Short mmCIF file of all heavy atoms in Angstrom, two decimals:
data_model
loop_
_atom_site.label_atom_id
_atom_site.label_comp_id
_atom_site.label_asym_id
_atom_site.label_seq_id
_atom_site.Cartn_x
_atom_site.Cartn_y
_atom_site.Cartn_z
N VAL A 29 -12.20 59.01 62.30
CA VAL A 29 -12.22 58.21 63.54
C VAL A 29 -12.85 56.87 63.29
O VAL A 29 -13.91 56.80 62.74
CB VAL A 29 -13.00 59.01 64.65
CG1 VAL A 29 -13.02 58.20 65.92
CG2 VAL A 29 -12.43 60.38 64.86
N LEU A 97 -2.44 51.92 37.92
CA LEU A 97 -1.70 50.68 37.55
C LEU A 97 -2.44 50.03 36.39
O LEU A 97 -3.58 49.65 36.55
CB LEU A 97 -1.60 49.75 38.74
CG LEU A 97 -0.90 50.28 39.95
CD1 LEU A 97 -0.94 49.23 41.10
CD2 LEU A 97 0.55 50.62 39.68
N TYR A 109 -8.83 39.37 44.56
CA TYR A 109 -7.43 39.82 44.61
C TYR A 109 -6.74 39.44 43.30
O TYR A 109 -7.19 38.55 42.58
CB TYR A 109 -6.72 39.21 45.81
CG TYR A 109 -6.22 37.76 45.60
CD1 TYR A 109 -4.90 37.49 45.31
CD2 TYR A 109 -7.11 36.70 45.63
CE1 TYR A 109 -4.45 36.18 45.09
CE2 TYR A 109 -6.67 35.41 45.44
CZ TYR A 109 -5.36 35.16 45.13
OH TYR A 109 -4.96 33.91 44.97
N ALA A 134 -4.46 51.98 45.53
CA ALA A 134 -4.06 52.42 44.19
C ALA A 134 -5.22 52.12 43.24
O ALA A 134 -6.21 51.44 43.58
CB ALA A 134 -2.80 51.66 43.77
N LEU A 166 -2.25 57.02 29.79
CA LEU A 166 -3.59 57.43 30.19
C LEU A 166 -4.57 57.14 29.05
O LEU A 166 -5.73 56.72 29.26
CB LEU A 166 -3.61 58.90 30.61
CG LEU A 166 -4.96 59.44 31.08
CD1 LEU A 166 -5.42 58.74 32.38
CD2 LEU A 166 -4.87 60.95 31.29
N THR A 174 -10.78 50.01 39.23
CA THR A 174 -11.09 49.54 40.56
C THR A 174 -10.13 50.18 41.56
O THR A 174 -8.90 50.23 41.27
CB THR A 174 -10.93 48.02 40.62
OG1 THR A 174 -11.74 47.41 39.59
CG2 THR A 174 -11.40 47.47 41.95
N ILE A 181 3.75 43.76 48.97
CA ILE A 181 4.75 43.98 47.93
C ILE A 181 5.96 43.10 48.20
O ILE A 181 6.61 43.26 49.24
CB ILE A 181 5.11 45.49 47.82
CG1 ILE A 181 3.91 46.35 47.60
CG2 ILE A 181 6.21 45.66 46.75
CD1 ILE A 181 4.25 47.86 47.56
N GLU A 198 -9.06 63.32 35.90
CA GLU A 198 -7.92 64.06 35.31
C GLU A 198 -6.63 63.49 35.82
O GLU A 198 -6.55 62.70 36.73
CB GLU A 198 -8.02 65.54 35.69
CG GLU A 198 -7.92 65.81 37.17
CD GLU A 198 -7.94 67.31 37.45
OE1 GLU A 198 -6.98 67.97 36.97
OE2 GLU A 198 -8.90 67.77 38.10
N LYS A 240 -21.20 22.56 41.28
CA LYS A 240 -21.36 21.10 41.48
C LYS A 240 -20.60 20.30 40.44
O LYS A 240 -20.06 19.25 40.73
CB LYS A 240 -22.82 20.77 41.51
CG LYS A 240 -23.59 21.11 42.79
CD LYS A 240 -25.03 20.65 42.66
CE LYS A 240 -25.81 21.01 43.93
NZ LYS A 240 -27.24 20.60 43.81
N THR A 241 -20.67 20.78 39.21
CA THR A 241 -20.19 19.93 38.07
C THR A 241 -18.78 20.22 37.66
O THR A 241 -18.12 19.41 37.04
CB THR A 241 -21.10 20.15 36.83
OG1 THR A 241 -21.13 21.57 36.49
CG2 THR A 241 -22.55 19.70 37.13
N GLN A 291 -14.88 43.70 31.78
CA GLN A 291 -14.88 45.19 31.88
C GLN A 291 -16.27 45.73 31.75
O GLN A 291 -16.62 46.73 32.37
CB GLN A 291 -14.01 45.73 30.75
CG GLN A 291 -13.85 47.23 30.75
CD GLN A 291 -13.12 47.80 31.96
OE1 GLN A 291 -12.32 47.08 32.56
NE2 GLN A 291 -13.37 49.03 32.29
N GLU A 354 -3.16 -22.82 21.74
CA GLU A 354 -2.42 -21.85 20.90
C GLU A 354 -1.21 -21.37 21.69
O GLU A 354 -1.23 -21.11 22.87
CB GLU A 354 -3.33 -20.70 20.53
CG GLU A 354 -2.71 -19.74 19.55
CD GLU A 354 -3.63 -18.60 19.22
OE1 GLU A 354 -4.63 -18.87 18.47
OE2 GLU A 354 -3.41 -17.48 19.69
N GLU A 363 7.41 -19.41 14.11
CA GLU A 363 7.09 -20.64 13.35
C GLU A 363 6.71 -20.36 11.91
O GLU A 363 7.08 -21.07 10.99
CB GLU A 363 5.95 -21.40 14.05
CG GLU A 363 6.33 -22.05 15.39
CD GLU A 363 7.49 -23.06 15.24
OE1 GLU A 363 7.54 -23.74 14.18
OE2 GLU A 363 8.36 -23.09 16.12
N GLU A 435 1.74 -11.91 -33.55
CA GLU A 435 0.39 -11.77 -33.03
C GLU A 435 0.18 -10.43 -32.36
O GLU A 435 -0.88 -9.83 -32.49
CB GLU A 435 0.11 -12.88 -32.05
CG GLU A 435 -0.06 -14.25 -32.62
CD GLU A 435 -0.26 -15.34 -31.59
OE1 GLU A 435 -0.17 -14.95 -30.38
OE2 GLU A 435 -0.48 -16.48 -31.91
N ALA A 483 8.54 -10.96 -22.63
CA ALA A 483 8.34 -11.73 -21.43
C ALA A 483 7.45 -12.96 -21.73
O ALA A 483 7.69 -14.07 -21.24
CB ALA A 483 7.71 -10.89 -20.35
N GLU A 503 13.50 5.30 -3.83
CA GLU A 503 12.53 4.54 -4.65
C GLU A 503 13.23 3.33 -5.36
O GLU A 503 12.58 2.30 -5.68
CB GLU A 503 11.93 5.42 -5.67
CG GLU A 503 10.96 6.41 -5.20
CD GLU A 503 9.69 5.79 -4.68
OE1 GLU A 503 9.29 4.80 -5.26
OE2 GLU A 503 9.13 6.28 -3.68
N LYS A 518 12.17 -0.59 -5.39
CA LYS A 518 11.27 -1.18 -6.41
C LYS A 518 11.68 -2.59 -6.82
O LYS A 518 10.84 -3.46 -7.05
CB LYS A 518 11.28 -0.30 -7.64
CG LYS A 518 10.48 0.98 -7.51
CD LYS A 518 9.01 0.70 -7.40
CE LYS A 518 8.19 1.99 -7.40
NZ LYS A 518 6.72 1.74 -7.22
N VAL A 533 11.96 -7.21 -16.30
CA VAL A 533 11.56 -5.95 -15.65
C VAL A 533 11.64 -4.84 -16.72
O VAL A 533 12.70 -4.61 -17.35
CB VAL A 533 12.49 -5.59 -14.49
CG1 VAL A 533 12.14 -4.26 -13.88
CG2 VAL A 533 12.42 -6.67 -13.42
N PHE A 582 16.49 -6.90 -18.02
CA PHE A 582 16.00 -5.47 -18.01
C PHE A 582 15.72 -4.97 -19.38
O PHE A 582 16.58 -5.13 -20.23
CB PHE A 582 17.00 -4.58 -17.28
CG PHE A 582 17.20 -4.85 -15.83
CD1 PHE A 582 18.26 -5.62 -15.35
CD2 PHE A 582 16.27 -4.38 -14.87
CE1 PHE A 582 18.44 -5.85 -14.05
CE2 PHE A 582 16.43 -4.62 -13.58
CZ PHE A 582 17.48 -5.35 -13.09
N GLY A 607 8.71 3.97 -35.93
CA GLY A 607 7.31 4.28 -36.10
C GLY A 607 6.74 3.49 -37.27
O GLY A 607 7.38 2.66 -37.89
N GLN A 635 -23.18 -4.85 -36.91
CA GLN A 635 -23.83 -3.54 -36.72
C GLN A 635 -23.01 -2.36 -37.26
O GLN A 635 -23.55 -1.27 -37.46
CB GLN A 635 -24.11 -3.27 -35.23
CG GLN A 635 -25.19 -4.22 -34.62
CD GLN A 635 -25.35 -3.95 -33.18
OE1 GLN A 635 -24.40 -3.98 -32.39
NE2 GLN A 635 -26.58 -3.78 -32.75
N GLN A 660 -5.83 4.86 -32.06
CA GLN A 660 -6.72 4.04 -31.23
C GLN A 660 -7.80 4.90 -30.52
O GLN A 660 -8.99 4.56 -30.45
CB GLN A 660 -5.90 3.32 -30.16
CG GLN A 660 -6.71 2.45 -29.25
CD GLN A 660 -5.85 1.78 -28.16
OE1 GLN A 660 -4.68 2.08 -28.07
NE2 GLN A 660 -6.43 0.88 -27.40
N LEU A 674 -27.05 3.82 -31.07
CA LEU A 674 -27.76 2.56 -30.95
C LEU A 674 -28.64 2.54 -29.70
O LEU A 674 -29.81 2.11 -29.74
CB LEU A 674 -26.76 1.40 -30.86
CG LEU A 674 -26.10 0.98 -32.18
CD1 LEU A 674 -25.02 -0.02 -31.95
CD2 LEU A 674 -27.12 0.45 -33.19
N LEU A 701 -45.42 -7.86 -39.92
CA LEU A 701 -44.41 -6.83 -40.07
C LEU A 701 -44.62 -5.78 -38.96
O LEU A 701 -45.72 -5.22 -38.87
CB LEU A 701 -44.47 -6.18 -41.42
CG LEU A 701 -43.53 -4.99 -41.64
CD1 LEU A 701 -42.09 -5.40 -41.60
CD2 LEU A 701 -43.80 -4.35 -43.00
N VAL A 776 11.78 25.57 -51.22
CA VAL A 776 12.24 24.18 -51.38
C VAL A 776 11.72 23.42 -50.21
O VAL A 776 11.66 23.87 -49.06
CB VAL A 776 13.83 24.13 -51.39
CG1 VAL A 776 14.27 22.65 -51.56
CG2 VAL A 776 14.39 25.02 -52.51
N SER A 868 17.26 26.93 -51.74
CA SER A 868 16.27 28.01 -51.74
C SER A 868 16.91 29.32 -52.12
O SER A 868 16.34 30.07 -52.92
CB SER A 868 15.69 28.11 -50.34
OG SER A 868 14.76 29.19 -50.25
N ILE A 897 23.08 12.53 -41.88
CA ILE A 897 21.97 13.00 -40.99
C ILE A 897 21.35 11.77 -40.31
O ILE A 897 21.72 10.61 -40.60
CB ILE A 897 20.90 13.78 -41.81
CG1 ILE A 897 20.49 13.04 -43.07
CG2 ILE A 897 21.46 15.17 -42.17
CD1 ILE A 897 19.37 12.12 -42.93
#
Side-chain angles (χ1 to χ4, degrees):
V29 179
L97 300 176
Y109 81 102
L166 181 65
T174 307
I181 301 176
E198 62 177 297
K240 283 181 180 179
T241 58
Q291 181 66 25
E354 186 179 288
E363 290 299 325
E435 287 176 357
E503 288 291 326
K518 286 291 185 183
V533 178
F582 292 99
Q635 291 178 308
Q660 180 184 6
L674 285 172
L701 173 66
V776 181
S868 175
I897 50 89

